């Protein structure tokens, strides 16, 4: 399985930010892992132009369930693919919180992504209240409803992102990450069968160059989904290097 370092720029970045992508490509011309940046929709096509012929892949941060139609402000998976994206983040906790996205909606979006030939990067993770209540594994099990039962290893990536670790500088302990990722692999096997063995399971939440190495050593951690640290080529490049070396 080829590991994956995925960066989520969220609602950050203008044309000037493309220089960071150029610097990343220059610093990591042929990493041993896959390297993906998901910029805001306004930059997908421009980043795809910058990345053409390089090891850098481009993704979207969300898609609609339909291909076309009267959905002002939305973007379809087919449009992302047309703009040069090869994958799309779905069900990020910020979309679940800001836009009320449910597991059922994320499931429908994952089907739309597949129809357009995009890899669906489905995000799951518990809140701090759920962690403190001891219900983390129950929450993870319930959120598996976001994943289409007939998913393939090539078409699906799952990102475990504890909500309380996103953008906070806090991370779970290595044992907590290991527990969730092993549980996730087992539940995914129940849901999609043997294909689960080849699905990349990413950890996300305050991954930085300083903690990437120990996180990537955890069994069933096949890469990272990185927010803040993906905005700077030096930081994201160091994370790509740590994953390549793992
Ligand atoms: C994210 O939003 O997916 C994320 C992991 O953010 P950060 O790395 O900034 O915690």
């Amino acid at each position: 399985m080829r590991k994956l370092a995925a960066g989520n720029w969220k609602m950050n970045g203008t044309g000037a930010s493309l220089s960071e992508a150029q610097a990343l490509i220059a610093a990591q011309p042929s990493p041993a892992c896959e390297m993906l940046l998901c910029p805001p929709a306004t930059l997908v096509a421009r980043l795809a132009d910058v990345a053409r012929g390089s090891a850098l892949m481009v993704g979207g941060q969300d898609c609609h369930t339909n291909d076309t139609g009267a959905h002002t402000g939305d973007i379809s998976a087919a449009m992302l693919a047309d703009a040069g994206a090869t994958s799309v983040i779905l069900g990020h906790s910020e979309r679940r919180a800001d836009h009320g996205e449910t597991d059922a909606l994320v499931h429908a979006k994952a089907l739309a992504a597949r129809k357009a030939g995009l890899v669906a990067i489905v995000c799951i993770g518990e809140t701090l209240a759920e962690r403190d209540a001891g219900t983390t594994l129950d929450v993870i099990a319930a959120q598996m409803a976001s994943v289409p039962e007939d998913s393939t290893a090539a078409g699906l990536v799952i990102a475990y992102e504890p909500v309380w670790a996103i953008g906070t500088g806090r991370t779970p302990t290595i044992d907590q990450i290991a527990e969730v990722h092993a549980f996730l692999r087992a539940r995914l096997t129940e849901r999609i069968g043997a294909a689960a063995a080849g699905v990349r399971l990413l950890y996300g939440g305050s991954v930085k160059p300083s903690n990437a190495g120990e996180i990537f050593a955890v069994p069933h951690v096949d890469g990272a989904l990185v927010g803040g640290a993906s905005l700077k080529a030096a930081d994201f490049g160091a994370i790509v290097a740590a994953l390549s070396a793992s």
Side-chain angles (χ1 to χ4, degrees):
M1 164 197 306
R2 200 131 188 270
K3 295 180 178 176
L4 171 64
N8 173 13
W9 280 7
K10 311 191 183 190
M11 198 173 72
N12 298 294
T14 60
S17 315
L18 296 172
S19 63
E20 291 296 329
Q22 282 161 335
L24 177 67
I25 291 166
Q28 294 291 333
S30 50
C33 63
E34 288 185 0
M35 183 168 75
L36 168 75
L37 282 178
C38 301
T42 48
L43 291 179
V44 168
R46 289 166 76 183
L47 185 58
D49 281 344
V50 167
R52 189 159 296 116
S54 81
L56 179 64
M57 298 183 300
V58 181
Q61 297 178 11
D62 175 50
C63 70
H64 197 273
T65 54
N66 292 352
D67 288 345
T68 56
H71 303 289
T72 302
D74 280 316
I75 295 172
S76 73
M79 291 169 177
L80 286 171
D82 178 61
T86 55
S87 54
V88 60
I89 298 170
L90 297 174
H92 190 281
S93 63
E94 288 153 14
R95 291 210 59 88
R96 291 177 187 259
D98 293 353
H99 301 275
E101 293 200 2
T102 61
D103 291 327
L105 181 63
V106 177
H107 182 282
K109 290 184 174 192
L111 294 178
R114 174 168 58 206
K115 192 171 158 209
L118 299 181
V119 176
I121 303 174
V122 173
C123 301
I124 58 175
E126 81 285 2
T127 63
L128 187 57
E130 290 162 342
R131 167 65 64 181
D132 288 345
T135 58
T136 296
L137 298 184
D138 297 333
V139 170
I140 299 299
Q143 289 176 331
M144 295 302 291
S146 305
V147 176
E149 296 87 331
D150 55 352
S151 295
T152 62
L156 176 70
V157 171
I158 298 191
Y160 166 56
E161 301 205 299
V163 178
W164 51 275
I166 294 177
T168 59
R170 295 181 59 193
T171 52
T173 64
I174 292 302
D175 285 350
Q176 287 171 328
I177 295 174
E179 178 188 38
V180 173
H181 276 249
F183 179 79
L184 193 47
R185 184 79 71 194
R187 293 311 292 242
L188 190 60
T189 303
E190 285 172 19
R191 188 155 178 88
I192 71 169
V199 172
R200 272 86 58 91
L201 305 182
L202 311 184
Y203 168 77
S206 296
V207 176
K208 304 179 282 265
S210 57
N211 61 15
E214 61 172 348
I215 292 171
F216 294 152
V218 175
H220 301 292
V221 172
D222 309 311
L225 180 54
V226 182
S230 72
L231 292 168
K232 291 279 165 229
D235 288 345
F236 195 55
I239 292 167
V240 169
L243 186 58
S244 292
S246 72

